[in-house]
């Protein structure tokens, strides 16, 4: 028998979790450490792919998913049948809901190595089990948003549409459309992203449309009948010059646009523009969509292209499909209730213990550093930074288990997109270059007194 | 207000679709071409990343998802509110279910450039709308399975566990665990993959477990109390040599295993093995888990490692996160009901028209070519291949809209894993090398008479 489809009604998000989170929980309930209050930190040790900045995305999705992180009958039955945890752990999970707090960077914010993107505080038991889900969401969505931001910079004022759903897992595709929109894309081809997140959708026709018809002319005529003369016709199924000629003959010079999906784009775009102008279709726009990434977009800056559609390279993070963030215990209570900063010393994978407060220092509005105040304790952090022009980067996201509604749903996406556009303005010019480099600003740690 | 979470009860899979599929449908219903019977083909033009073979995965998932591809009230309301399609298209979608047929490669089968992995036959209207979902599933899952197969080859007889959930979108993580299992991995850390697909799960403890305790010794002792002496202790939180010493002191020489997650693995593994043997723990296994890919695994072949855990590189397809497959119209009826082979001529993106039948030719059990018979018509294909030792690669997957249950659910996964292991035996030895190259066998087209 086929199981209920993953993601269907009866499924919570609670099993999107590595098994070891639950074996640790099991052992902690047994040895009495489960109730120790802990601070976990979600951060990236480095920026992937020689990027100059990272873009935080996924936060709003994660807050929604944490709300659904409950162990129902189905989840408990699976864990019991597989003998993964003992009866007292099952009883704990049955009652589980996250009651702690999460502070962190706003969605759309920039981040740098060591930025404390999320700070999760709660008991060990309630906070450790969120590791896998938190990293899955933030690592995927931030990788896409970071690539998208670079593409947006390369495109300048020309609109960008996301159309990579077919090159990503069917759910990741929706998340990718959302992340791209936050980082400056204007639309997506993905209908579920339109429905769930309110992102504008776009799309007209594929090559199959032309092939379905006996002639290209019939296909164009039928498309214009259905979608109007403002539509975009795909002109490269057989021969692009003939396609353009046919398009204008059928649609007239008021045709909205043509799309080119193959060939050497700078050359083809120039040829098509010249042909359109010669035919009098000076207002017909040119959209290009063939295997674009930020470098190809930049290379088209001087070409007569009006908009870009980006697929594969967007949804695969343009060479860096995961942000590589980690979720580490940085402080905890000891047996007496006192706080201890903790860190691991593993080669190349060390962590920095202690709770952090993060600020972006600015000089006349331009970012100069990621300033991170570190404390063994907790009270000092608020007053640790006396820099005259430093923007605090962390906001409360979840209080006593309840997410702040401002960061959820469509409103959260719209706010994240606005926030991203605003903070991007703070970057120094060198941060906008596409070549591999060090982070655009240094991460500076200070010890809180 | 926050929307219903994506993937919740009220959501079908029907909006995991690019908008242009529906605008084409809308136009086709208007101009009368919607009912033309069509053959779409899902195939890869090339193997990504200089791979020598590809592995088909996702088929069973896709068949399940096609069953749920229905337009309910929520989906129709969205399309109506956004004015994407007209009333007659909404009426068509309300009744939509796929009633055509799908034949294709079995899940777990190998594929090469041009292999007709899926052949979808139905009306244009019912078949075109499956493009995005079909490609999302096959492109993601096949990319992971292909990477996993190479890792399995590199690991030889040593067990491999998938533990990359945190570096992939939360749903793609489950699909990745499934694809890896089909391609030879023995277990996953992902609990949802265990529940949904019956894949063995594994996992013991993270660094947080050690950091939670006042000493490494206390952490190890508590873990052994909970999980028994057969557990695997993570020994590199502070200092690996001290960790190993503590582990054996606490657990005794019957300790099941130690895990190393950092450092220069060939060196560290040899040191740890020597230390364990010296302490008398000659049966204690060594698991390594630090940023492994197929090349790192191969480099550890001579090291005293007992098993591997692979994360990031597995779930990101080890440099090729998507298989790059496409979904193309290759044949259709014309206005008189006759069949026409169709193909596009776009630069570097041409397709080969006509329906295909695919065979793997063998010489004494070793694959020699991917033989693809092409026909404008349909009846000839069965008898087209007279090669004495050719294995037919396509099986019926969906008939009149009903998927064959043998390919669904847990049983489908188990069968795919077995099939993969069997067909891998047919590959010539040169196919098992990890370096970039051409496909291991050529794709040969013949015209059916």
């Amino acid at each position: 028998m086929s199981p209920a489809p993953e993601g269907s009604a009866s499924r919570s998000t609670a099993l999107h979790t590595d098994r070891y989170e639950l074996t640790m929980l099991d052992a902690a309930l047994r040895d009495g450490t489960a109730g120790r209050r802990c601070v976990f930190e979600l951060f990236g040790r480095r920026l992937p792919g020689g990027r100059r900045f990272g873009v935080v995305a996924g936060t709003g999705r994660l807050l929604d998913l944490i709300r659904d992180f409950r162990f129902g009958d189905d989840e408990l039955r699976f864990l019991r049948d597989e003998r993964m945890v003992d009866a007292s752990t099952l009883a704990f999970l049955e009652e589980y809901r996250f009651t702690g707090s999460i502070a962190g960077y706003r969605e759309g914010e920039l981040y740098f190595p060591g930025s404390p993107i999320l700070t999760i505080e709660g008991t060990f038991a309630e906070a450790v089990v969120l590791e896998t889900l938190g990293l899955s969401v933030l690592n995927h969505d931030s990788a896409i948003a970071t690539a998208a931001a670079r593409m947006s910079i390369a495109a300048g004022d020309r609109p960008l549409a996301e159309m990579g759903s077919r090159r990503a897992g069917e759910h990741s595709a929706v998340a990718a459309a959302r992340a791209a929109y936050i980082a400056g894309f204007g639309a997506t081809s993905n209908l579920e992203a339109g429905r769930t997140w309110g992102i504008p959708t776009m799309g007209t026709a594929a090559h199959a449309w032309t092939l379905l018809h006996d002639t290209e002319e019939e296909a164009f005529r039928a498309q214009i009948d259905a979608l109007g003369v403002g539509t975009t016709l795909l002109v490269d199924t057989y021969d692009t010059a003939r396609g353009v000629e046919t398009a204008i003959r059928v649609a007239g010079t008021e045709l909205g646009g043509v799309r080119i999906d193959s060939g050497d784009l700078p050359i083809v775009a120039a040829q098509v523009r010249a042909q359109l102008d010669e035919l009098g279709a000076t207002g017909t726009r040119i959209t290009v969509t063939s295997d674009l990434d930020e470098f190809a977009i930049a290379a088209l800056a001087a070409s007569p292209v009006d908009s870009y559609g980006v697929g594969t390279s967007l949804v695969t993070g343009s060479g860096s499909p995961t942000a590589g963030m980690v979720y580490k215990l940085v402080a905890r209570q000891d047996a007496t209730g006192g706080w201890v900063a903790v860190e691991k010393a593993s080669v190349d994978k060390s962590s920095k213990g202690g709770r952090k407060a993060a600020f972006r220092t600015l000089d006349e509005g331009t970012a100069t550093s990621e300033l991170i105040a570190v404390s063994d304790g907790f009270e000092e952090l608020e007053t640790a930074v006396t820099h005259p022009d430093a923007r605090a980067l962390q906001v409360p996201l979840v209080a006593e288990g309840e997410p702040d509604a401002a960061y959820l749903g469509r409103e959260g996406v719209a706010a994240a997109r606005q926030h991203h556009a605003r903070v991007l303005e703070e970057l120094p010019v060198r941060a906008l270059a596409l070549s591999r480099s060090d982070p655009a600003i240094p991460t500076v740690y200070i010890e809180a007194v």
Side-chain angles (χ1 to χ4, degrees), chain A residues 132-156:
Chain A
T132 311
L133 184 64
L135 288 173
S136 287
V137 173
L138 270 285
N139 270 327
H140 173 268
D141 292 16
S142 300
I144 307 303
T146 300
R150 289 159 55 86
M151 294 170 188
S152 299
I153 290 167

Side-chain angles (χ1 to χ4, degrees), chain A residues 162-201:
Chain A
E162 184 283 312
M163 32 190 283
S165 295
R166 61 191 56 197
R167 301 290 164 83
E170 72 279 14
H171 293 282
S172 289
V174 183
R178 181 184 179 281
Y181 184 66
I182 288 171
F185 276 55
T188 178
S189 63
N190 188 291
L191 292 171
E192 189 63 68
R195 169 166 68 165
T196 304
W197 302 111
I199 301 169
T201 61

Side-chain angles (χ1 to χ4, degrees), chain A residues 55-385:
Chain A
V55 178
V56 175
T59 322
R61 280 205 323 116
L62 177 61
L63 300 186
D64 255 343
L65 294 170
I66 289 175
R67 267 199 312 207
D68 298 329
F69 197 93
R70 304 292 180 89
F71 292 82
D73 290 346
D74 272 9
E75 289 75 34
L76 295 169
R77 187 179 314 115
F78 169 70
L79 298 174
R80 186 168 47 237
D81 290 352
E82 301 279 324
R83 299 168 191 275
M84 286 194 196
V85 292
D86 70 15
S88 60
T89 303
L90 288 172
F92 174 88
L93 292 175
E94 190 170 0
E95 299 299 319
Y96 179 86
R97 72 179 275 273
F98 180 68
T99 65
S101 70
I102 303 178
Y105 282 36
R106 291 185 57 174
E107 191 159 10
E109 183 59 82
L110 310 181
Y111 76 91
F112 297 91
S115 296
I117 295 167
L118 294 180
T119 302
I120 298 91
E121 188 180 340
T123 63
F124 178 77
E126 69 182 347
V128 73
V129 297
L130 299 180
E131 175 179 24
T132 311
L133 184 64
L135 288 173
S136 287
V137 173
L138 270 285
N139 270 327
H140 173 268
D141 292 16
S142 300
I144 307 303
T146 300
R150 289 159 55 86
M151 294 170 188
S152 299
I153 290 167
D157 293 335
R158 296 174 179 176
L160 279 166
E162 184 283 312
M163 32 190 283
S165 295
R166 61 191 56 197
R167 301 290 164 83
E170 72 279 14
H171 293 282
S172 289
V174 183
R178 181 184 179 281
Y181 184 66
I182 288 171
F185 276 55
T188 178
S189 63
N190 188 291
L191 292 171
E192 189 63 68
R195 169 166 68 165
T196 304
W197 302 111
I199 301 169
T201 61
M202 48 67 67
T204 53
H207 293 102
W209 178 250
T210 300
L211 296 173
L212 174 67
H213 290 81
D214 296 335
T215 66
E216 194 172 46
E217 177 168 344
E218 284 177 43
F220 288 174
R221 206 175 292 282
Q223 185 178 329
I224 289 163
D225 283 350
L227 299 174
V229 79
T231 192
T232 296
L233 296 173
L234 177 58
V235 292
D236 72 338
T237 303
Y238 302 115
D239 175 86
T240 301
R242 268 198 295 133
V244 170
E245 189 276 320
T246 306
I248 300 303
R249 179 158 41 78
V250 170
T253 55
E254 298 306 300
L255 177 64
V258 296
R259 178 160 77 93
I260 307 167
D261 185 49
S262 57
D264 185 352
L265 293 177
I267 293 171
V268 179
Q271 288 171 339
V272 168
R273 182 73 269 159
Q275 188 183 0
L276 286 170
D277 290 348
E278 199 169 305
L279 293 168
T282 53
T284 300
R285 296 177 304 279
I286 297 176
T287 298
V288 296
T289 58
S290 185
D291 288 331
L292 296 177
D293 61 12
E294 61 268 48
F295 304 101
I297 292 168
L300 285 163
S303 293
V305 169
D306 298 284
S307 63
Y308 305 97
V310 187
T312 305
S313 73
L314 186 277
V315 299
T316 58
S318 198
S320 298
T322 177
M325 295 169 184
V326 295
Y327 185 98
K328 295 294 166 194
L329 182 64
V330 294
R332 61 162 173 84
Q333 285 184 310
D334 61 20
T336 69
W339 282 93
V340 193
V342 294
E343 59 190 40
K344 66 174 182 148
S346 316
V347 181
D348 292 337
K349 291 186 171 180
S350 62
S351 55
K352 191 158 183 64
R355 191 172 186 159
K356 323 284 192 308
F359 304 85
R360 190 150 301 146
T361 61
L362 303 161
D363 182 8
E364 299 186 354
T366 300
T368 54
S369 78
E370 193 82 340
L371 186 63
I372 302 178
V374 187
S375 171
D376 281 7
F378 287 79
E379 294 70 22
E380 305 88 342
L381 282 173
E382 265 72 295
T383 54
V385 171

